[in-house]
Amino acid sequence: MPAASQLSSPHLLGIEGLSPAEIELLLDLSEHYVKMNRSGNKKSDVLRGRTIINVFFEASTRTRTSFELAGKRLGADVINISPEVSAVRKGETLLDTALTLDAMHADLLVVRHPESGAVQLIAEKVRCAVVNGGDGAHEHPTQALLDALAIRRRLGRLHGLVVAICGDILHSRVARSNMLLLKTMGADVRVVAPPTLMPADIDRYGVSVFHDLAEGVRDADIVMMLRLQQERMRGSYVPSIAEYFHFYGLDRAKLAGAKPDALIMHPGPMNRGVEIDSDVADDINRSLIQEQVEMGVAVRMACLDLLTRDLSTNQGTGQ
Ligand code: NCD
């Protein structure tokens, strides 16, 4: 695989379209930032003079905070805006908001939006770089990258690993980005969900489909649990939370068939007792959940670094 030294797109809108070499480049640079974040001096000036604006139209703890920390640790000026306190409340459109921020010479916008495709739309109109912080049920590329980094650091590789992604696949941008990344890197990916929470187009991802959790996690190296995205559900997808946990909640009994040292992941926020039992979520020998959060800052530093490296050749297509 030829090594990449930069990303081919000026934006990071999804995992779709990234080559294995580009994914390796992002993960390798993230390793550098993991070291820096663990050292006494967490601050550098590679983004000095740059302006980053986080525009989050949906709730977020981990993603927004880690992008802010990432930007600040690299020496950028970072601003957060949210719709509740912006002119969106006065009826301004998404694109007008984005163009306004672009006119202030932002270098990079990080955007989260409830509609799939909204972030791409912005990227087509602005001059600055755009990073997708999660768009609807479509993609969440930095989450998949941080998940891959956490796995690679523990198990030394992605290729050939059996990864079971379990829960609300239908509404999950985390699942989509992870399926794309893990397949690109040669992992054996399984998805586990009730039929009502399995996307109709799941065949296009080249993953194995299971409806029984114990069966889906059998001999898995990694068990990745997903939150039930009730805010995206219009109608009833599960009979009750108690029944969902009974069949699809990860507990010791259902985990028993996975590899003896299988690792448990969850992107957060977790709903304990809905998709995961506290007993397994808090098992320090098996759970990667806190490490995922740590990796999130490093991965976002790598993304910001690579996307702002040479702004003279790194401009969007807009006017
Ligand atoms: C995820 C998201 O927003 O897509 N959270 C995150 O970014 N860590 C998953 C979720 O909301 O369940």
Side-chain angles (χ1 to χ4, degrees):
M1 182 167 68
S5 57
Q6 59 182 60
L7 299 176
S8 58
S9 166
H11 310 291
L12 180 62
L13 302 177
I15 297 296
E16 189 147 37
L18 288 185
S19 67
E22 287 176 304
I23 293 169
E24 293 277 2
L25 171 69
L26 282 158
L27 297 182
D28 291 347
L29 186 59
S30 303
E31 291 282 1
H32 163 75
Y33 286 122
V34 172
K35 282 197 200 90
M36 187 178 125
N37 288 337
R38 287 182 177 182
S39 77
N41 182 9
K42 293 194 266 295
K43 192 109 180 164
S44 96
D45 61 359
V46 297
L47 259 66
R48 198 199 330 212
R50 304 283 195 222
T51 304
I52 294 170
I53 307 187
N54 284 327
V55 196
F56 277 58
F57 292 91
E58 254 190 15
S60 174
T61 301
R62 277 151 281 265
T63 308
R64 198 194 57 71
T65 311
S66 57
F67 267 114
E68 182 173 355
L69 264 180
K72 287 182 170 163
R73 286 191 182 163
L74 295 176
D77 293 316
V78 185
I79 290 169
N80 299 301
I81 60 170
S82 45
E84 302 87 64
V85 289
S86 74
V88 173
R89 283 278 304 271
K90 300 180 180 173
E92 187 171 67
T93 66
L94 172 66
L95 283 181
D96 283 335
T97 302
L99 288 170
T100 301
L101 302 173
D102 197 35
M104 293 178 186
H105 292 283
D107 296 295
L108 188 144
L109 301 181
V110 181
V111 185
R112 169 171 285 193
H113 198 277
E115 297 298 329
S116 302
V119 184
Q120 157 106 40
L121 202 67
I122 290 175
E124 284 165 9
K125 298 287 180 210
V126 296
R127 284 169 305 178
C128 63
V130 177
V131 177
N132 184 359
D135 64 324
H138 177 227
E139 279 232 41
H140 191 353
T142 56
Q143 179 70 43
L145 287 161
L146 76 88
D147 290 337
L149 184 65
I151 298 172
R152 202 181 76 162
R153 286 176 61 85
R154 276 294 183 97
L155 301 179
R157 68 195 164 102
L158 296 168
H159 195 272
L161 293 179
V162 177
V163 183
I165 307 176
C166 316
D168 185 356
I169 309 286
L170 179 66
H171 299 102
S172 179
R173 52 198 178 204
V174 175
R176 273 181 191 73
S177 291
N178 262 299
M179 288 190 283
L180 292 165
L181 187 151
L182 291 165
K183 288 298 295 177
T184 303
M185 301 311 281
D188 176 357
V189 182
R190 303 174 184 169
V191 287
V192 187
T196 49
L197 293 176
M198 192 64 84
D201 67 344
I202 193 69
D203 289 345
R204 71 176 274 248
Y205 295 93
V207 298
S208 329
V209 175
F210 292 83
H211 298 301
D212 181 278
L213 184 58
E215 233 176 78
V217 305
R218 187 163 302 141
D219 294 324
D221 296 285
I222 300 286
V223 179
M224 185 184 289
M225 301 307 297
L226 300 171
R227 183 176 65 88
L228 262 189
Q229 310 244 322
Q230 304 202 54
E231 74 277 19
R232 296 191 209 287
M233 296 184 187
R234 292 177 193 89
S236 178
Y237 287 78
V238 293
S240 72
I241 296 301
E243 190 165 336
Y244 183 79
F245 182 73
H246 178 71
F247 287 105
Y248 291 98
L250 187 70
D251 56 16
R252 291 264 171 223
K254 297 191 199 82
L255 184 63
K259 291 238 173 88
D261 51 356
L263 297 167
I264 298 151
M265 302 179 74
H266 193 304
M270 259 189 291
N271 285 152
R272 294 166 183 267
V274 180
E275 69 268 358
I276 192 162
D277 193 26
S278 284
D279 180 38
V280 288
D282 299 334
D283 181 341
I284 51 166
N285 298 313
R286 308 287 291 272
S287 171
L288 268 185
I289 297 169
Q290 291 304 315
E291 218 162 300
Q292 286 172 268
V293 178
E294 182 190 359
M295 295 308 121
V297 180
V299 156
R300 285 161 184 138
M301 289 167 90
C303 294
L304 298 181
D305 179 352
L306 279 171
L307 289 169
T308 54
R309 264 192 191 174
D310 185 358
L311 287 172
S312 59
T313 56
N314 197 19
Q315 294 291 313
T317 50
Q319 295 298 298

